[in-house]
Amino acid sequence: MTRIERGLMDLDGVANARVNLSSHRLAVTWDPDETDPETLLKRLEDLGYGAHPFDPGRVKSDEVRENKRLLRAMAVAGFAAMNVMLLSISVWAGNVSDITPETRDFFHWLSAVITLPAAAYAGQPFFRSAWRVLRKGHLNMDVPISIGVILALFLSVLQTIQHQEEAYFESALMLLFFLLIGRWLDQMMRLKTRAFAENLTALKAETAMKLFADEGLREVPLSRIEPGDRVLVRPGERLSVDGTVLVGSSEIDQSLVTGETGFMPVASGDLVYAGTLNGEGALTISVTAAAKGTLLDEVNRLIDDAMEAKSRYRQLADRAAEWYAPIVHTASALTFIAWWLYGIGWQPSLVIAISVLIITCPCALGLAIPAVQVVASGSLFRNKVLLNRSDALERFAKVDMVVFDKTGTLTRPSAGIANPEICDEESLKLAIALAKASSHPLSAAIATMNRHIRPMENTREEKGQGLLAMHDGEEIRLGSIEFCGAEKQAPAVKEQHPQASFIAFRRGDAPPVVFCP
């Protein structure tokens, strides 16, 4: 990230360059009078990284392919390591007992036959990455890993030819196996974190019903919607634009914005936002933002900023990673020369130099800190908390008081039932079946109590009142207290749950019940 951002920022005319590690996207702001896209792409190529226009479909297919490739490499490395380890244990035990040189050599050659093709395949993610940057004259963390593995395999083959007691085939495979586990888990973590942001983006439709000057109505892409245009939002549709209601009245599910579970009434002059869900009324909206600049876009920007913002520790990790490769390669070379001059021989000196390459990787600083920030921000987002400061995670440790400004901060975006025990099991099943025929949030609270019950057929909706249907010759109703005739039962329930919403259910001539979502 640092190499790409600094490499592009060094170009004349580039105002900003930002790499999103989770989505593998690069956003660049530049002055077209001073530079052009070809220059940017050439600099990226010189840095060892290819680039192409962002295509969500291509990204997903590439991710699936990369995930499968890592899994196959991990499986090969793990299976080969287990088998070679069995052979190595036999050699180690034999070296302190009665193994013959011929048997030891046979086990070493057998280990080589298993290890060399397995390492050549399983090490591809590291070898390709290292070769790509080396061709451009740069270094990354995969370079010392690749050098260490290749040198360990070379030394093991050489010592097998020389009939030595020690070989390091199992060490090379185990190193690749554990590194592949870490790389696969890192990729899965980032994919899951980004998937939540993509799910949020999916709430915004890509088209809208535009009202033209001649009162014609046509569905058009958001890219053709301009501020000031009029769009029609029909009942049950999700809004695709930010705007102001011109004509109509309805109820809007704004839990995405406010956190409140109840529908909010809207009428002429009220503001509405993309991603919210329209209720039972049709609305004509004057657009203030469509393809870009909506509240939903701002939420996504906050998520991206939180995932990729560089806190003080991230900046320290970047600086450490930048100096890591040259320092470690230099230290490894000096270690080899020092031990060789000391007189222990070039092969033992090479073993120590390889160890320096492998064990000095600053994983905790260079890898874990960025991973922690991505995982933590993703976890907070899943729990409906967004970060808008790069140092927010660091400042959490100093928090000793939290002030909540509205109930939507504390409530969940979906309602539940506080008193399901108020009616018998059979009536509750009927209420759930009837509730599944409605999209109202209070009905949804009842419907989610049992996901296996099917919606009731032949249901009729009384607008603004509730639902009714016939079942075994009885009329059943679900809706407002007045619609179900539950005026007598409501006061007692309201006294027990004064802050709750209420929805009533009545079956035939039986006394109605009042639920508290």
Side-chain angles (χ1 to χ4, degrees):
M1 290 175 59
T2 303
R3 182 178 297 118
I4 292 175
E5 291 174 353
R6 290 186 179 179
L8 292 175
M9 290 287 289
D10 289 340
L11 294 174
D12 293 335
V14 176
N16 186 44
R18 186 73 173 273
V19 177
N20 187 311
L21 194 60
S22 297
S23 61
H24 295 276
R25 277 189 279 180
L26 167 66
V28 185
T29 304
W30 75 89
D31 185 350
D33 295 332
E34 298 187 43
T35 189
D36 52 58
E38 289 76 13
T39 304
L40 302 177
L41 293 174
K42 181 63 169 57
R43 173 57 62 89
L44 284 171
E45 185 179 349
D46 292 341
L47 294 172
Y49 300 93
H52 55 80
F54 179 70
D55 179 1
R58 175 175 176 175
V59 169
K60 289 185 178 180
S61 63
D62 288 346
E63 288 170 348
V64 171
R65 184 166 56 253
E66 176 67 14
N67 188 53
K68 290 181 178 178
R69 187 165 69 95
L70 287 175
L71 278 176
R72 287 195 299 267
M74 185 170 59
V76 169
F79 182 76
M82 288 187 291
N83 285 276
V84 174
M85 184 62 74
L86 291 175
L87 298 171
S88 298
I89 290 174
S90 301
V91 172
W92 298 337
N95 284 337
V96 296
S97 57
D98 57 352
I99 191 171
T100 64
E102 293 79 13
T103 303
R104 181 175 57 240
D105 289 347
F106 173 73
F107 277 14
H108 280 166
W109 281 117
L110 189 56
S111 297
V113 170
I114 298 173
T115 301
L116 294 178
Y121 179 81
Q124 288 298 310
F126 308 101
F127 300 155
R128 290 177 178 174
S129 172
W131 176 244
R132 185 175 64 246
V133 297
L134 284 174
R135 284 188 306 169
K136 302 297 181 180
H138 299 288
L139 296 172
N140 64 9
M141 290 191 177
D142 289 334
V143 172
I145 291 172
S146 301
I147 293 175
V149 169
I150 291 173
L151 287 178
L153 294 174
F154 164 75
L155 186 61
S156 298
V157 172
L158 180 62
Q159 296 197 163
T160 300
I161 295 174
Q162 296 176 343
H163 311 290
Q164 299 288 330
E165 291 187 357
E166 300 293 344
Y168 309 100
F169 295 112
E170 82 292 331
S171 299
L173 284 174
M174 289 296 290
L175 176 64
L176 287 175
F177 180 54
F178 284 116
L179 288 173
L180 285 167
I181 291 176
R183 184 150 298 191
W184 179 76
L185 291 176
D186 178 72
Q187 185 197 35
M188 293 302 298
M189 171 268 297
R190 297 185 189 280
L191 290 179
K192 289 181 179 179
T193 299
R194 185 158 53 85
F196 288 104
E198 290 177 345
N199 290 341
L200 184 63
T201 304
L203 294 176
K204 182 179 177 180
E206 296 300 324
T207 61
M209 297 298 296
K210 182 176 179 179
L211 279 165
F212 291 88
D214 60 357
E215 299 303 320
L217 184 65
R218 187 166 70 247
E219 187 174 13
V220 299
L222 289 185
S223 58
R224 297 178 59 186
I225 300 290
E226 300 292 338
D229 287 347
R230 295 179 302 156
V231 299
L232 175 67
V233 181
R234 291 169 293 201
E237 287 186 341
R238 195 170 290 279
L239 277 69
S240 55
V241 299
D242 287 2
T244 305
V245 177
L246 294 177
V247 180
S249 62
S250 183
E251 293 182 323
I252 298 288
D253 177 5
Q254 292 188 336
S255 58
L256 173 69
V257 179
T258 65
E260 302 287 358
T261 58
F263 274 27
M264 299 293 293
V266 293
S268 179
D270 291 333
L271 296 176
V272 290
Y273 303 98
T276 57
L277 184 65
N278 187 24
E280 299 175 349
L283 298 174
T284 300
I285 297 173
S286 175
V287 177
T288 56
K292 296 180 180 179
T294 65
L295 180 65
L296 199 59
D297 293 331
E298 177 67 13
V299 171
N300 277 316
R301 187 190 64 78
L302 288 175
I303 295 169
D304 287 339
D305 288 348
M307 289 182 183
E308 297 306 326
K310 293 183 179 180
S311 64
R312 181 163 52 91
Y313 295 107
R314 281 290 301 275
Q315 295 170 3
L316 175 62
D318 285 345
R319 288 195 295 270
E322 183 179 358
W323 288 100
Y324 159 73
I327 290 177
V328 167
H329 286 92
T330 302
S332 180
L334 292 175
T335 299
F336 172 78
I337 294 172
W339 282 105
W340 187 29
L341 293 177
Y342 186 71
I344 68 173
W346 74 271
Q347 292 187 22
S349 301
L350 186 58
V351 172
I352 299 173
I354 293 171
S355 301
V356 171
L357 282 176
I358 300 302
I359 67 176
T360 52
C361 179
C363 297
L365 190 62
L367 301 179
I369 288 178
V372 165
Q373 183 154 347
V374 173
V375 171
S377 58
S379 177
L380 288 169
F381 174 55
R382 291 194 295 273
N383 288 280
K384 312 299 185 293
V385 178
L386 297 181
L387 302 180
N388 65 351
R389 291 280 299 271
S390 62
D391 61 345
L393 292 175
E394 300 168 16
R395 296 169 65 190
F396 273 159
K398 302 178 181 178
V399 172
D400 57 8
M401 178 182 297
V402 180
V403 179
F404 297 99
D405 63 335
K406 56 188 176 66
T407 57
T409 308
L410 303 175
T411 55
R412 295 182 180 273
S414 57
I417 298 299
N419 59 340
E421 73 287 345
I422 199 167
C423 69
D424 60 88
E425 184 176 351
E426 184 179 356
S427 296
L428 183 60
K429 289 181 179 179
L430 290 176
I432 294 172
L434 194 56
K436 289 191 174 183
S438 171
S439 60
H440 195 281
L442 299 185
S443 296
I446 297 177
T448 55
M449 295 174 65
N450 190 323
R451 301 186 183 277
H452 301 291
I453 296 177
R454 304 182 67 176
M456 185 169 292
E457 298 178 355
N458 301 320
T459 302
R460 189 171 81 253
E461 182 171 358
E462 297 287 339
K463 188 173 182 179
Q465 296 295 317
L467 303 168
L468 59 88
M470 296 300 297
H471 177 75
D472 292 339
E474 291 183 316
E475 183 184 74
I476 56 176
R477 293 189 172 208
L478 180 71
S480 66
I481 292 175
E482 295 77 11
F483 182 67
C484 297
E487 291 86 348
K488 293 182 178 180
Q489 290 78 12
V493 179
K494 289 182 178 180
E495 184 178 351
Q496 294 178 350
H497 305 277
Q499 301 296 326
S501 303
F502 303 99
I503 183 170
F505 171 76
R506 190 182 75 189
R507 178 184 179 185
D509 296 329
V513 296
V514 179
F515 293 107
C516 297

